[in-house]
Amino acid sequence: IFEEEYIDLGDSDDFIERYKNNNITFKRPMHYNLINKKIDHLHDERYFYFLDYIRENNYIDYFVLSDISDVVILKKIDEDSLDLSKNILYVGQDVQKILENRWFKNKYFTSSIYIRGDSYYVFKDSLLYNCGVILGHRKILISFLIKMCELFIELYEKNKLRYPLDMYVFNYVLHKYYHDKIYLGDDFITDFSKDVYDFIKIMFEV
């Protein structure tokens, strides 16, 4: 992000031609065929592309990975003022705990899909993190994304899915492996707003 390079999984030629420029590039999703299973939800597939992109662009130190249609970046990040750590993941959170969130519970705990057996323990008193935005140094992001992609593959092997798993996988990996490496402070705030459209405002206090 500090190099002002952004990646989006656009699929419309007209859209791409209208918005691409020296600072914005697009990659067309091709669907990951993994162990004869398609990762066929873009919500899930994007993390494989994020991982590839970070690995391929090793001259960029820090990245913001975000949704595109419901995220508004209100300020440019000042790397020096934010005092970024290479060993911390900067994430946004919902106001509810995971097991208090009806949407999350209905989608992942009361359905017939396979999830890891320790999920209730991992999520017991945990905050619900927003998988629509995360910031970090390339090293910790690569580690985080590898764990996410491994879990995606495991879940796709065991399930026939009608909906994506991104919120479950994102929160499971963060809480199980990175619970002591997460920053939620005032410098990095997410606010999920219910206006005419649902959107997340990302504010960088610099």
Side-chain angles (χ1 to χ4, degrees):
I1 187 85
F2 302 113
E3 299 290 339
E4 298 186 10
E5 294 201 11
Y6 301 77
I7 180 172
D8 168 54
L9 305 178
D11 60 0
S12 164
D13 291 336
D14 291 339
F15 180 89
I16 292 172
E17 287 302 316
R18 187 179 306 124
Y19 292 106
K20 71 177 183 180
N21 57 44
N22 291 334
N23 297 325
I24 302 174
T25 59
F26 296 86
K27 285 192 175 182
R28 188 182 302 278
M30 298 300 291
H31 292 291
Y32 271 79
N33 287 288
L34 300 168
I35 318 178
N36 299 319
K37 297 284 184 179
K38 276 190 174 182
I39 307 296
D40 57 359
H41 291 288
L42 283 179
H43 295 81
D44 299 344
E45 187 180 0
R46 59 181 166 163
Y47 294 97
F48 292 83
Y49 285 100
F50 289 156
L51 179 58
D52 287 347
Y53 186 81
I54 294 173
R55 282 172 163 168
E56 291 167 3
N57 293 273
N58 57 15
Y59 65 96
I60 302 176
D61 290 329
Y62 289 91
F63 295 82
V64 173
L65 311 179
S66 80
D67 294 345
I68 183 170
S69 62
D70 57 359
V71 172
V72 180
I73 306 291
L74 298 179
K75 293 183 179 181
K76 182 176 179 180
I77 301 172
D78 185 321
E79 184 175 355
D80 295 326
S81 298
L82 194 52
D83 191 26
L84 292 173
S85 167
K86 293 183 178 180
N87 301 311
I88 296 294
L89 290 168
Y90 299 79
V91 298
Q93 70 183 73
D94 200 288
V95 295
Q96 291 180 301
K97 294 182 178 179
I98 288 176
L99 297 182
E100 296 171 347
N101 184 278
R102 181 180 300 177
W103 174 87
F104 194 96
K105 285 181 67 176
N106 288 345
K107 192 169 186 179
Y108 300 120
F109 285 96
T110 62
S111 65
S112 60
I113 69 165
Y114 163 84
I115 58 176
R116 285 192 174 166
D118 62 348
S119 294
Y120 269 110
Y121 174 78
V122 171
F123 293 146
K124 183 172 57 176
D125 295 313
S126 301
L127 295 169
L128 179 61
Y129 296 134
N130 190 330
C131 71
V133 61
I134 186 168
L135 177 147
H137 186 267
R138 59 178 296 104
K139 184 176 180 180
I140 193 169
L141 277 176
I142 287 173
S143 169
F144 169 70
L145 290 169
I146 286 173
K147 286 183 169 59
M148 280 195 69
C149 292
E150 289 174 347
L151 183 51
F152 277 127
I153 294 170
E154 174 187 332
L155 296 177
Y156 271 80
E157 283 187 298
K158 297 177 182 294
N159 293 291
K160 293 182 179 179
L161 301 173
R162 296 181 180 178
Y163 46 79
L165 292 165
D166 52 341
M167 279 291 284
Y168 169 77
V169 172
F170 186 87
N171 277 275
Y172 181 91
V173 172
L174 279 176
H175 285 296
K176 185 170 178 68
Y177 301 108
Y178 298 92
H179 57 90
D180 58 346
K181 300 182 184 301
I182 295 172
Y183 179 84
L184 298 168
D186 292 338
D187 296 324
F188 192 69
I189 303 168
T190 61
D191 177 24
F192 187 74
S193 303
K194 295 258 183 199
D195 294 321
V196 179
Y197 301 100
D198 292 341
F199 66 96
I200 304 166
K201 293 183 287 188
I202 312 304
M203 294 165 280
F204 302 102
E205 304 291 348
V206 298

